Every structure is written in C-alpha cells, then in structure tokens.
Amino acid sequence: ETLDAGILRLRRSGCQLAACIKLGAYLAAGQLYTMDTTAPTATLQWMEENVPVSMTAEVLPFGEVTKRCGAGSATVVHGTGRIGIGRGAGYPSHFSHLLRNWLPRFWACKDDVARAGCSTIFVPSRLHALYQQVIYEFAPKWKLVGEMETAKRNGGLNVTCTHHEMLADYYKRYQHHWVSGCVSADVVFVLRTRPVADSARDPGQASGSERRYISNPQEVWQHVERASREANLTVEQVVFEQLSFRDQMRKTCTARMVVGQHGAGLGHILWSSSSRRAVLELPPWLEHWWDHMFNTNHIAHFWSGEGHFIGRDSTNNTFAKVNAVQLGEDLRRALHALGLSQKQDASLPKASGSGHRML
C-alpha cells in the first residue's frame, strides 16, 4: 500500500507509538525511522533531519485530548515537510517557511483540537515575535505560550497534533483563507530594504532583506511600473517588513502578479482572490522551493533568467543587479500568462531567448 495509506491505516487502528515500536521500523512523512528495541527504553534513530517531529507523537483518544485541554495543556503544532531552519524543534524560524510549512498545518490542527476545547498554542519563546500576529489573525482567542509556561501547565502534558494529510491538501487550505472585503493593486513589486549589519541578531530569525537584496531597485521599479500601466493595471511598490501581518495580507488581496526576490513576499500572492495569478521571481532565486504550493493553487511561476549580476557585499549578504533588458522580456511573458496585452514600447527593451520557466 502507499505510504500515506499505511500511516492512516495504522492510526485509525489506534496504533500508539509503543505499539509501533514492535514493528521494528516506523514510516512517517515519507521517511524511515528505525527503533532500537534492545535498549531499556526504545530510542528513535532519525534517518532524516527534516521529518516532522509530531509524527513520532502518541495518538491520543479524543477523550484524553479533551481532558488535557480542559486542564490547560498547550497544543504543539510542528511544521510538515522540509521546514528549513529551526527544523529540530519543528517550528521554522523564517517567515517564508512559516507560510509554506507551518501555517497550513496549523489550520488543520486547530480545527481538530478546537473540538476538544483546546485554545492554547505552544511556540518556542524566541519565535513568539514571528508567530504571534499570524496565530492571532486566524485564532484570535488562542493563547500563545513558551517553554516555561508550558512546563507548568497540567504537569507538562501537551497535546501534540498528529494530523496527517498530503502536502497538496495542506496547501489547498489557502483557498479557504483568501482575504475578502478589500482591493489591492493588480501588480505588487516587493522591495527589500538594504540590510543593516547586526552581529548580535539571531541568524535563524534574520529577515530576507538581511540575506538578499536588489542593488538597483529604482531601475527595477520603473520597468515594473511602466509595464503594468501599459497593460492598464494598477501597481504598487511594497516593503512588507514595515507592515503588520494583516496589512501584508491586504496588500495582495486582489493582486494578479507579485514581482520580487525569493522569500515570503512572493508567498503573499496566496491571499489573492483573483482568478488568474502569477509570480515573477527575481534573482537570486531558489528554483522549485515554491513549486508544489504554487502548482496546487494554480499560480503561474516565472523566474527572471540570464543576464543579471549576483554578488556579495562587505557584510556577506547576497545582492543582485537586475538586467533591465531581461526584466523587460520577463515582464512581458508574465503579463502574457495572465492573458493581458501590453502595448509595444521602444523604451521597454526586448531580449533574445526566454530566460524563464513557467510552471
């Protein structure tokens, strides 16, 4: 049987971790766990660091979940798939990873445990600033707690979410969370502020602008603005890092295209209720990182191709000087994917070759 069917069958039959140990091998989330059954207390040997920690948790009966939550236990929700930095604790520490690997699973877990009266969520204390606005946006009545408070609640007994489904099903949950009641620009250019060196900052929580930026943003903005207006589209330049999470969502609520470098800014296209949506990713990009999520939500994805200069500054941050000729061609192709015609303009240079890939 398939891996997912096997996992679901084991769980529906009430398989607890202790019982699964007897199997000698435990399959979870596409990875193989092996058990050392000779030790006094069976230990879990991790074959792959990216495996969701929650897949090893005991599956509690609904009555026990209700009992624990009634006594104040916190709910633990680990990210799914390759969650990136912070994977050891199961909580990604970059905002783009939070949007891709944690938030869809939180939605699923919240719906499951809320029926049992759970309303407290555990997040590592050092990540509270990153998670709190997201959690309160979708679960405003929930309480956020860290390690110390969690240990004091109900004798330290938690409720770890063991919800499991295919990644595509997690990603589809964004279609139920489109932002309504607002209108945004048709095209959003995501601008990163130039980084400021801060040796004391936790690198695991560094924002995208502290790792990569565009060295000629004004030139890029001029081409994005011109191409958008020629297609009779409204356009706005946005610095997401200066906005609250709610305002970030509203900035793309009806967007047709988001243009920017790899990072969480591109993921905000997921909040848009437009019927046709596209992303144009500028260098330095990370191919395939958004593929599954964008494909599942029918979002066309382009990468701006050859001809750009990528380097590192004196503080070792990556920057890109975007080639205006290539940018003009890629903008045309992205707008064409949306079914939008663009007036020919001699001031918008043409490039030979595609230099992009569409999903």
Side-chain angles (χ1 to χ4, degrees), residues 175-190:
Q175 299 170 17
H176 302 292
H177 291 88
W178 288 337
V179 179
S180 60
C182 79
V183 176
S184 69
D186 296 315
V187 178
V188 175
F189 171 51
V190 181

Side-chain angles (χ1 to χ4, degrees), residues 241-289:
E241 292 143 331
Q242 297 176 353
L243 303 174
S244 68
F245 177 63
R246 173 170 290 187
D247 287 341
Q248 290 179 34
M249 297 169 68
R250 295 179 67 83
K251 284 295 183 182
T252 58
C253 63
T254 57
R256 301 186 187 186
M257 183 167 68
V258 171
V259 181
Q261 290 179 303
H262 172 75
L266 299 183
H268 285 308
I269 190 67
L270 291 158
W271 307 119
S272 173
S273 59
S274 293
S275 58
R276 301 191 69 184
R277 299 171 291 175
V279 163
L280 175 58
E281 187 166 344
L282 304 180
W285 25 251
L286 183 60
E287 289 189 71
H288 309 305
W289 199 87

Side-chain angles (χ1 to χ4, degrees), residues 60-122:
L60 299 174
F62 183 77
E64 177 63 20
V65 174
T66 303
K67 179 181 177 181
R68 291 192 182 189
C69 287
S73 291
T75 299
V76 178
V77 178
H78 296 298
T80 187
R82 294 182 175 273
I83 65 172
I85 296 175
R87 61 177 67 100
Y91 286 81
S93 55
H94 286 168
F95 196 53
S96 57
H97 296 251
L98 186 160
L99 293 181
R100 189 188 72 162
N101 302 100
W102 189 85
L103 182 56
R105 194 156 192 271
F106 170 68
W107 286 329
C109 293
K110 178 177 71 71
D111 293 342
D112 281 355
V113 300
R115 295 183 295 109
C118 304
S119 60
T120 302
I121 178 77
F122 164 78

Side-chain angles (χ1 to χ4, degrees), residues 4 11 13 15-16 20 22 35 45 94 98 129 135 141-142 144 146 238 262-263 270 272 287 314 321 323 327 336 352:
D4 288 287
R11 293 200 162 168
S13 66
C15 178
Q16 306 281 312
C20 291
K22 297 178 183 178
M35 302 294 184
Q45 305 298 321
H94 286 168
L98 186 160
I135 291 172
K141 296 183 179 180
W142 280 47
L144 178 65
V238 177
H262 172 75
L270 291 158
S272 173
E287 289 189 71
S314 59
K321 184 175 182 180
N323 183 288
L327 174 63
H336 178 73
S352 60

Side-chain angles (χ1 to χ4, degrees), residues 31-352:
Q31 307 295 342
L32 177 65
Y33 292 87
T34 60
M35 302 294 184
D36 178 8
T37 55
T38 62
T41 301
T43 57
L44 192 65
Q45 305 298 321
W46 288 57
M47 303 296 289
E48 167 58 61
E49 190 179 10
N50 288 313
V51 172
V53 181
S54 59
M55 298 302 295
T56 70
E58 182 180 5
V59 181
L60 299 174
F62 183 77
E64 177 63 20
V65 174
T66 303
K67 179 181 177 181
R68 291 192 182 189
C69 287
S73 291
T75 299
V76 178
V77 178
H78 296 298
T80 187
R82 294 182 175 273
I83 65 172
I85 296 175
R87 61 177 67 100
Y91 286 81
S93 55
H94 286 168
F95 196 53
S96 57
H97 296 251
L98 186 160
L99 293 181
R100 189 188 72 162
N101 302 100
W102 189 85
L103 182 56
R105 194 156 192 271
F106 170 68
W107 286 329
C109 293
K110 178 177 71 71
D111 293 342
D112 281 355
V113 300
R115 295 183 295 109
C118 304
S119 60
T120 302
I121 178 77
F122 164 78
V123 171
S125 297
R126 75 182 187 93
L127 299 178
H128 278 199
L130 182 67
Y131 279 73
Q132 60 184 1
Q133 288 191 36
V134 176
I135 291 172
Y136 294 150
E137 177 66 30
F138 300 107
K141 296 183 179 180
W142 280 47
K143 182 176 182 179
L144 178 65
V145 297
E147 291 86 346
M148 292 185 63
E149 187 170 355
T150 300
K152 298 176 183 177
R153 288 173 168 265
N154 194 23
L157 290 176
N158 297 321
V159 175
T160 299
C161 176
T162 53
H163 184 102
H164 176 72
E165 62 187 21
M166 300 291 287
L167 278 177
D169 293 324
Y170 279 125
Y171 294 157
K172 287 177 182 176
R173 292 176 182 272
Y174 268 95
Q175 299 170 17
H176 302 292
H177 291 88
W178 288 337
V179 179
S180 60
C182 79
V183 176
S184 69
D186 296 315
V187 178
V188 175
F189 171 51
V190 181
L191 177 65
R192 296 179 182 275
T193 54
R194 197 172 282 251
V196 177
D198 182 0
S199 59
R201 186 180 178 92
D202 181 351
Q205 298 185 66
S207 68
S209 65
E210 292 175 300
R211 302 188 305 279
R212 68 188 78 89
Y213 62 94
I214 294 172
S215 63
N216 58 332
Q218 200 56 39
E219 184 180 12
V220 174
W221 165 242
Q222 289 172 358
H223 281 269
V224 173
E225 183 181 34
R226 186 183 306 154
S228 302
R229 296 199 186 285
E230 287 170 354
N232 295 316
L233 298 173
T234 57
V235 59
E236 183 178 9
Q237 179 176 270
V238 177
V239 181
F240 281 118
E241 292 143 331
Q242 297 176 353
L243 303 174
S244 68
F245 177 63
R246 173 170 290 187
D247 287 341
Q248 290 179 34
M249 297 169 68
R250 295 179 67 83
K251 284 295 183 182
T252 58
C253 63
T254 57
R256 301 186 187 186
M257 183 167 68
V258 171
V259 181
Q261 290 179 303
H262 172 75
L266 299 183
H268 285 308
I269 190 67
L270 291 158
W271 307 119
S272 173
S273 59
S274 293
S275 58
R276 301 191 69 184
R277 299 171 291 175
V279 163
L280 175 58
E281 187 166 344
L282 304 180
W285 25 251
L286 183 60
E287 289 189 71
H288 309 305
W289 199 87
W290 288 106
D291 282 11
H292 197 177
M293 177 170 273
F294 284 170
N295 276 335
T296 301
N297 288 280
H298 310 292
I299 297 170
H301 189 186
F302 294 85
W303 293 270
S304 189
E306 304 297 328
H308 309 294
F309 177 78
I310 301 174
R312 290 189 176 274
D313 61 20
S314 59
T315 58
N316 205 35
N317 290 296
T318 303
F319 70 88
K321 184 175 182 180
V322 176
N323 183 288
V325 174
Q326 184 65 56
L327 174 63
E329 179 68 13
D330 291 336
L331 281 168
R332 288 187 181 92
R333 294 182 182 279
L335 290 171
H336 178 73
L338 295 176
L340 302 170
S341 60
Q342 181 184 1
K343 293 186 300 183
Q344 293 299 317
D345 185 342
S347 64
L348 262 179
K350 296 183 179 180
S352 60

